[in-house]
Amino acid sequence: MAVIAVFILYPGWAQAALSVFACYEIDDGQTGLYPQNQKAAWRNGYWVRDMAQQCYTGVHLRLYVPIGIASVLVLCFGPPLASFLILWKHRAELGSERVRQRYSFLFARYKPSFFWWESVLMVEELMLVAVEVFGRGLKSVTHQILVMLAAFVVVSAINITSKPNRLWVITMLEFMSMTVLSLTVSLSLFFVVDQGLSGADERSVGALILVINVALLVIFLGVLLRGTWGKLRSTASRANCIAIAALTRRSGKKCARKDHGADGKEKWYRY
């Protein structure tokens, strides 16, 4: 359970570790109407976690930067490296029951030749977290969105060209998810570039964003139901038969249910 918890908490840990180095430049002391009156003009900017603290000087440099370096090494690079080393150590026995019980969540959904891909996935998460953290330092929202889109394109290109998943449908769902996310971010540019949009246009773009996200959700639900519909129908039929049998037990009637056996042939079961 501890190993699973590490991988669940990884994005949050990475965000906390990288935020130590996230700084925001407020003034430059040279531009503006009254540059001589600008007081927040420290050349390295100000720490996003404490805007009263100048970056890379004083307490930030002496205390937080060393903590940040150690945190990045342990919390950002430690889990992907640990995942790779664990699987590499047991690469010859990934099919054994003992290894599958302990580490199957790390490699079960990948092709045998890509058993280490979970580490790559974590590095991709780290890249996206880094974009989110350091993107705050960009004054232009447009630039923040463009950097985020570039990261999405890189992640999508890596995943779709490598195709590490055992099931093709998982690869396509991941690609569709990243595509919808990229479209959502791209369409949001209409709200920030130039003078923005009129009220009617804003509603139209907002509705379009909502539609494509709802469509993706419907597709995900459809794929989920397609894989479980047979089991759900069989379970519902069994429950129905048991209920009918309980009601008709006095008359000696039995409930029959038709189902497909392991060999694919239709079989009848009585209760």
Side-chain angles (χ1 to χ4, degrees), residues 12-239:
W13 288 353
Q15 194 273 342
L18 292 176
S19 65
V20 174
F21 305 97
C23 301
Y24 185 81
E25 183 180 337
I26 300 176
D27 298 319
D28 58 10
Q30 298 177 356
T31 59
L33 296 177
Y34 304 99
Q36 68 277 8
N37 295 329
Q38 295 177 358
K39 303 300 181 182
W42 178 245
R43 63 181 183 276
N44 293 324
Y46 295 81
W47 192 22
V48 295
R49 286 188 170 272
D50 181 5
M51 294 301 289
Q53 174 64 55
Q54 296 176 341
C55 278
Y56 303 108
T57 187
V59 176
H60 185 260
L61 180 62
R62 294 194 309 270
L63 177 62
Y64 292 107
V65 169
I67 293 176
I69 294 174
S71 299
V72 168
L73 293 176
V74 175
L75 301 179
C76 294
F77 297 111
L81 182 60
S83 172
F84 178 80
L85 292 178
I86 289 173
L87 295 180
W88 185 261
K89 178 181 178 181
H90 299 286
R91 65 186 183 279
E93 47 184 348
L94 294 179
S96 67
E97 187 67 21
R98 180 180 64 86
V99 174
R100 294 188 67 86
Q101 286 181 349
R102 298 184 64 180
Y103 305 117
S104 62
F105 72 97
L106 293 176
F107 65 87
R109 70 187 182 114
Y110 303 116
K111 298 175 183 177
S113 57
F114 288 93
F115 67 90
W116 41 267
W117 192 259
E118 189 68 22
S119 297
V120 177
L121 195 64
M122 297 182 74
V123 173
E124 292 176 351
E125 291 181 9
L126 178 61
M127 180 176 67
L128 294 177
V129 171
V131 169
E132 187 271 333
V133 171
F134 295 112
R136 301 175 187 175
L138 299 175
K139 290 187 176 181
S140 172
V141 177
T142 304
H143 292 167
Q144 296 177 9
I145 294 176
L146 291 175
V147 171
M148 191 176 299
L149 282 174
F152 290 161
V153 170
V154 171
V155 171
S156 297
I158 293 174
N159 292 339
I160 201 66
T161 54
S162 300
K163 298 179 180 179
N165 295 297
R166 289 178 181 269
L167 299 178
W168 174 83
V169 67
I170 295 180
T171 301
M172 293 309 300
L173 288 177
E174 289 179 348
F175 178 73
M176 291 175 62
S177 178
M178 192 62 69
T179 300
V180 169
L181 188 58
S182 299
L183 283 174
T184 301
V185 174
S186 299
L187 290 173
S188 67
L189 282 171
F190 285 103
F191 297 101
V192 296
V193 296
D194 297 331
Q195 301 300 319
L197 301 173
S198 63
D201 293 336
E202 285 184 353
R203 288 190 292 271
S204 299
V205 174
L208 180 58
I209 293 175
L210 180 62
V211 167
I212 61 176
N213 281 272
V214 170
L216 179 66
L217 179 60
V218 170
I219 292 174
F220 270 67
L221 290 176
V223 173
L224 179 62
L225 290 176
R226 180 183 178 185
T228 59
W229 179 251
K231 294 181 179 179
L232 290 175
R233 186 172 60 178
S234 177
T235 302
S237 177
R238 187 183 301 112

